Amino acid sequence: MSALAPATWPRPEPERDRLLVIDPRTDRFFHREVGDLPSLLRAGDVVVLNDSATLPASLHGTMNGAAVELRLVARDDEITFRAILFGAGDWRTRTEDRPPPPRTLAPTAARFGELDAIVTSTELHPRLVRVRFTSAEDLVPRLFRAGKHVQYAHVRDELHAWHVQTAFASRPWSFEMPSASRPLGWSLLDKVRARGVTLAKLTHAAGLSSTGDDTLDALLPLDERYDIPPETVEAIARARANGGRVLAVGTTVVRALEGSFAANDQLRAGVGVTSLRIGPGFVPRVTDGVFTGMHEAGTSHARLMSAY
């Protein structure tokens, strides 16, 4: 099979995006468009969306006198994040071609625009670091002023904030866009609701999709935060009781719902952190299907889809 050709820019008519529908029970698949999604659902189903907004998680600055880029990947507490460290350069150079960063052997002071931080290495990989910002005051607004959104060299131009937010983005938790939701605007979602389908939400902190390093990529996804509202748990319970199906929009929603079930032996509302990795042989306990983008073989996203 030939390699996938990544999209170079967001499509202007996302409802015209091609949609491959796979029914594993009958071993059949057929071609549709995203705009056909409402006709594939039925009354009593639940569609679960990730309402996480996307942070500008790419920070350029200096460490040990050298130019570096820090890409945030997960949040540990109010001021501490895990991040991937790159050498000089930006998104215009493929991540696998970027020069290595200076080694971080001890806590090292760094500055990223108006943000001062302390960077320490982790035990898993020299480029996987912890960064502790010196102040929690207005940290998210300052990240928006100092940072840029993570993007990759296959994109033809610089992405802006409106390119990386979903129509229903809320709390700024994600480090890359929960991209499965990109083509789902309110016009289409209203048509889904008109079919008698319940729209539910959760918040999951989507991490990075690629680092340019095979060893680092094998560590992805890292542990990620989620918050499942009681209303979503109740909607899923009603669907299950009445023969409805649960469609997760994106692998982040799968990881949050299945991670909560795996940790508690039931789906439980509230904030949690999941380390669950889903792949071949995994039996979903909460979700019946996933609406997601196409991913290359060998990625964690592709392994997760194989569970369906």
Side-chain angles (χ1 to χ4, degrees):
M1 187 177 77
S2 59
L4 293 175
T8 61
W9 197 247
R11 287 170 59 91
E13 298 180 88
E15 289 190 25
R16 298 296 306 277
D17 283 1
R18 290 180 294 173
L19 179 66
L20 177 64
V21 182
I22 302 172
D23 185 349
R25 295 167 301 178
T26 61
D27 199 27
R28 293 178 61 241
F29 63 90
F30 44 97
H31 295 276
R32 294 287 187 271
E33 292 183 344
V34 167
D36 296 323
L37 178 62
S39 68
L40 301 170
L41 299 168
R42 59 182 183 237
D45 289 345
V46 177
V47 172
V48 187
L49 307 164
N50 181 2
D51 71 358
S52 175
T54 309
L55 287 162
S58 168
L59 300 171
H60 289 264
T62 56
M63 189 179 78
N64 290 336
V68 295
E69 179 190 359
L70 195 75
R71 293 188 182 180
L72 306 177
V73 64
R75 191 170 191 170
D76 289 341
D77 60 36
E78 193 174 18
I79 60 172
T80 307
F81 295 74
R82 279 163 290 162
I84 306 297
L85 196 60
F86 292 84
D90 61 19
W91 62 271
R92 295 172 180 84
T93 301
R94 296 192 314 160
T95 51
E96 53 266 45
D97 296 333
R98 293 281 294 275
R103 289 187 64 81
T104 310
L105 300 177
T108 304
R111 185 166 181 82
F112 304 97
E114 62 184 83
L115 295 167
D116 291 309
I118 301 296
V119 178
T120 58
S121 59
T122 69
E123 66 281 359
L124 296 177
H125 192 283
R127 287 179 53 206
L128 177 59
V129 299
R130 277 192 169 83
V131 55
R132 186 175 74 254
F133 295 105
T134 55
S135 173
E137 184 178 359
D138 295 328
L139 180 56
V140 169
R142 288 188 294 144
L143 282 172
F144 271 89
R145 290 195 295 269
K148 293 182 177 295
H149 294 287
V150 171
Q151 65 181 93
Y152 298 92
H154 61 265
V155 180
R156 70 171 187 246
D157 204 352
E158 185 170 345
L159 295 171
H160 298 285
W162 53 87
H163 292 128
V164 296
Q165 305 296 350
T166 65
F168 39 83
S170 178
R171 289 180 287 180
W173 278 30
S174 286
F175 304 97
E176 282 188 15
M177 181 183 187
S179 56
S181 302
R182 186 193 302 274
L184 302 183
W186 280 114
S187 174
L188 182 60
L189 292 174
D190 283 343
K191 294 174 185 175
V192 168
R193 245 189 320 224
R195 300 275 297 183
V197 175
T198 299
L199 296 180
K201 67 177 184 177
L202 56 79
T203 309
H204 183 100
L208 298 184
S209 58
S210 178
T211 68
D213 181 292
D214 289 342
T215 305
L216 266 174
D217 284 349
L219 299 175
L220 301 178
L222 299 179
D223 297 357
E224 292 170 341
R225 293 190 302 160
Y226 63 81
D227 186 3
I228 304 173
E231 298 82 2
T232 297
V233 175
E234 293 163 6
I236 290 172
R238 284 197 304 271
R240 286 269 176 242
N242 297 314
R245 300 167 299 176
V246 178
L247 179 69
V249 177
T251 58
T252 57
V253 172
V254 175
R255 202 166 185 235
L257 294 175
E258 300 294 346
S260 173
F261 192 101
N264 303 297
D265 203 31
Q266 62 178 319
L267 182 60
R268 181 175 294 175
V271 177
V273 175
T274 182
S275 58
L276 182 66
R277 289 180 171 231
I278 300 171
F282 181 86
V283 179
R285 305 296 297 275
V286 182
T287 52
D288 298 295
V290 57
F291 176 94
T292 187
M294 188 70 76
H295 301 284
E296 289 186 310
T299 63
S300 61
H301 301 78
R303 289 194 297 273
L304 183 148
M305 285 192 289
S306 70
Y308 295 86

